[in-house]
Amino acid sequence: MRTKMRFNMRKGAAALAGGVLALGVLTACGDDDAASGSPFDKKGQAASDQGGSGGGKNDSGGKGGKVPAELVGVWTTGSVSTINYEDAMTGALAPPSGTHSELTLKSDGSYSQNGLLQSTVYNCTTSLFVMEEGKASVQGDKITFKPSKLKTTMQNTCSKSGNHTNKDGEKKTTVDTFELTEDEYGPLLRLTDDTGASSDYRPEK
């Protein structure tokens, strides 16, 4: 919603999210032919398939699941632009550009991902929200995401033609390489798609 946000959206998140961001910039500049997209790509890597405490905030699923314990939980990723636009008339600041994605993995193999991709140019803001649910399975250092539900909501403050709510998005199975590691900021789940684009997720606090 995957920046990929694996929102996210996992689905070729990187490429998809990039396309949506480009779309946001185009529509923000007044393009009335805004198209819809579903960007979200999940990225991250797990270290082992054995047990252990989960890296993300624990959200238990069924028993004897398809996802190793260290991947079970809630993981987040995102970034916000440091560039802000100010309304010349009111002096109010426009919403910042940025992304945010929350990936929840359960031990029974179910997953969900919610993502927001937002682009602001001057006084025009384009926001894309993606909600995805499905099944995940792990084999070695590969994690496969098979969505059963994918909905997108697009809102553009300057061009209404492309706006939509809860529109069905393309449900495409994706396979990411995952790595569970740690840096100076703590645990880190890195998901890398088949193009080499990666996203770093942190445990929800």
Side-chain angles (χ1 to χ4, degrees):
M1 142 138 150
R2 27 276 268 359
T3 222
K4 287 164 352 355
M5 290 186 263
R6 179 208 129 359
F7 138 203
N8 314 81
M9 257 51 315
R10 246 188 2 295
K11 316 202 71 199
L16 205 43
V20 173
L21 184 56
L23 169 65
V25 172
L26 288 174
T27 55
C29 290
D31 182 2
D32 287 331
D33 295 324
S36 65
S38 68
F40 265 148
D41 117 28
K42 295 161 180 19
K43 299 175 184 270
Q45 268 184 78
S48 100
D49 293 344
Q50 303 304 314
S53 58
K57 180 180 178 182
N58 190 28
D59 187 348
S60 61
K63 303 212 177 207
K66 306 172 184 177
V67 175
E70 62 265 36
L71 293 181
V72 173
V74 180
W75 301 85
T76 63
T77 186
S79 63
V80 177
S81 173
T82 57
I83 299 175
N84 287 322
Y85 291 96
E86 181 178 304
D87 188 306
M89 299 295 292
T90 67
L93 293 177
S97 296
T99 63
H100 179 78
S101 178
E102 180 179 285
L103 170 64
T104 300
L105 291 166
K106 295 185 177 182
S107 60
D108 64 355
S110 61
Y111 78 87
S112 64
Q113 174 143 336
N114 295 318
L116 173 67
L117 180 61
Q118 183 166 276
S119 175
T120 295
V121 178
Y122 299 109
N123 65 331
C124 296
T125 297
T126 299
S127 300
L128 174 67
F129 178 75
V130 180
M131 179 183 69
E132 180 179 336
E133 297 177 356
K135 288 290 187 178
S137 60
V138 173
Q139 184 171 22
D141 64 348
K142 304 294 184 183
I143 181 167
T144 299
F145 295 94
K146 186 175 182 179
S148 58
K149 177 180 179 180
L150 197 156
K151 299 285 188 179
T152 67
T153 295
M154 174 80 81
Q155 295 294 325
N156 184 284
T157 60
C158 294
S159 176
K160 309 297 184 182
S161 62
N163 289 355
H164 61 262
T165 301
N166 288 332
K167 181 178 180 179
D168 288 329
E170 180 186 6
K171 296 185 287 293
K172 181 179 178 182
T173 299
T174 59
V175 180
D176 290 344
T177 300
F178 71 86
E179 177 185 9
L180 187 61
T181 183
E182 190 167 335
D183 60 13
E184 63 270 28
Y185 302 107
L188 181 152
L189 175 63
R190 178 166 296 143
L191 292 171
T192 304
D193 65 18
D194 56 4
T195 70
S198 63
S199 294
D200 290 345
Y201 286 77
R202 303 284 181 179
E204 183 181 67
K205 296 180 179 179

